Amino acid sequence: MIYIKTDEEVEIQRKSSLLVGKTLAEVAKIIRPGIATIELDRVAETFIRDNGAEPGFKGYGGFPATLCISVNDEVVHGIPGNRELKDGDIASIDCGTLMNGFYGDSAYTFAVGEVDKEILLLLERTKQSLYLGIEQAVVGKRVGDIGHAIQKYVEGFGYSVVRDLVGHGVGRNLHENPEVPNFGRRGSGIKLKSGMCLAIEPMINLGVKEVAQDEDGWTIRTKDAQPSAHFEHDVVVRNGKADILSTFEYIEQVLNKK
Ligand code: MG
Ligand code: MG
């Protein structure tokens, strides 16, 4: 079943989604070459708890950390650890919060130090594809319209869309129906209704679309070892224009000052 959130529920969800953006801004302040990914995780967990929420991912399906940190050819679900980020890396940082019974879920891919122009373009265009997908998250469109908009845009640059992982409904559960693929046919899939909350999250590869899971049982990486980018927002479907519940504003304020 697909939940339709009341306006009151949407406002509770917004607080949780905003906290994710604020947490990622704390990460943005300290991310740099030489920092261990576990250090970013500690800062995020402390910040979330200090703000009256719980990490949404920790313990979810057995995941051991607050953040999913996926570096370079890792697509999603990377586990923070002693690995230090290097100059020229990119790191998708995905964060979940649970606050007043509702989950926030948002992700941003950071450039670490000096990153190749070609890879910076992959980040920029993946973020742009997210907003193109969000433009389709309006009453009367279908879930396939979201994926179609994302796919058409990124494939125009020769990139590929990961098929094995998709966006999702979000609310009292981290993953709710419907699934929101980042590919699809225009006019296909379920009809979007006002009050549906969706986590839209394009995962876009520089090379082939195929991915595989590491032996840790979590980390997903590209089969050709080429980089992958990932951006995610929580949105609520509305008439004419989706309402974006999460935000990159705090993150980008920090990055622009660096
Ligand atoms: Mg996420
Ligand atoms: Mg998600």
Side-chain angles (χ1 to χ4, degrees), residues 57 94 105 201 232:
F57 298 166
D94 196 345
D105 182 13
E201 52 177 317
E232 177 177 27

Side-chain angles (χ1 to χ4, degrees), residues 210-227:
E210 284 78 18
V211 297
Q213 192 174 54
D214 280 5
E215 280 178 11
D216 65 12
W218 285 103
T219 313
I220 304 289
R221 67 175 76 231
T222 59
K223 276 206 170 160
D224 61 2
Q226 293 221 63

Side-chain angles (χ1 to χ4, degrees), residues 40 42 52 66 80 103 132 157 175 251 258:
L40 303 177
R42 284 196 199 104
T66 293
Y103 283 91
L132 293 174
F157 301 108
H175 297 116
I251 300 168
K258 268 188 160 180

Side-chain angles (χ1 to χ4, degrees), residues 12-81:
I12 300 169
Q13 169 115 44
R14 190 190 309 276
K15 288 209 176 82
S16 197
S17 296
L18 283 176
L19 180 58
V20 178
K22 291 175 183 170
T23 305
L24 290 174
E26 293 302 305
V27 170
K29 287 178 187 171
I30 56 168
I31 193 168
R32 58 177 162 74
I35 198 162
T37 55
I38 193 72
E39 194 54 41
L40 303 177
D41 195 77
R42 284 196 199 104
V43 165
E45 179 169 359
T46 302
F47 187 79
I48 290 168
R49 294 193 190 281
D50 285 351
N51 281 276
E54 283 169 50
F57 298 166
K58 201 166 193 176
Y60 186 89
F63 190 76
T66 293
L67 301 175
C68 294
I69 304 183
S70 310
V71 182
N72 297 335
D73 63 324
E74 298 170 5
V75 180
V76 287
H77 303 165
I79 302 172

Side-chain angles (χ1 to χ4, degrees), residues 156-212:
F157 301 108
Y159 305 151
S160 63
V161 177
V162 172
R163 302 298 203 274
D164 298 10
L165 299 123
V166 295
H168 50 91
V170 63
R172 289 188 185 276
N173 299 293
L174 181 57
H175 297 116
E176 296 183 353
N177 287 324
E179 288 195 340
V180 184
N182 300 298
F183 56 94
R185 276 185 305 111
R186 193 179 278 159
S188 69
I190 61 127
K191 237 185 185 173
L192 300 176
K193 294 192 182 129
S194 187
M196 284 182 182
C197 288
L198 306 175
I200 303 177
E201 52 177 317
M203 289 156 260
I204 307 300
N205 297 348
L206 189 63
V208 302
K209 64 181 182 295
E210 284 78 18
V211 297

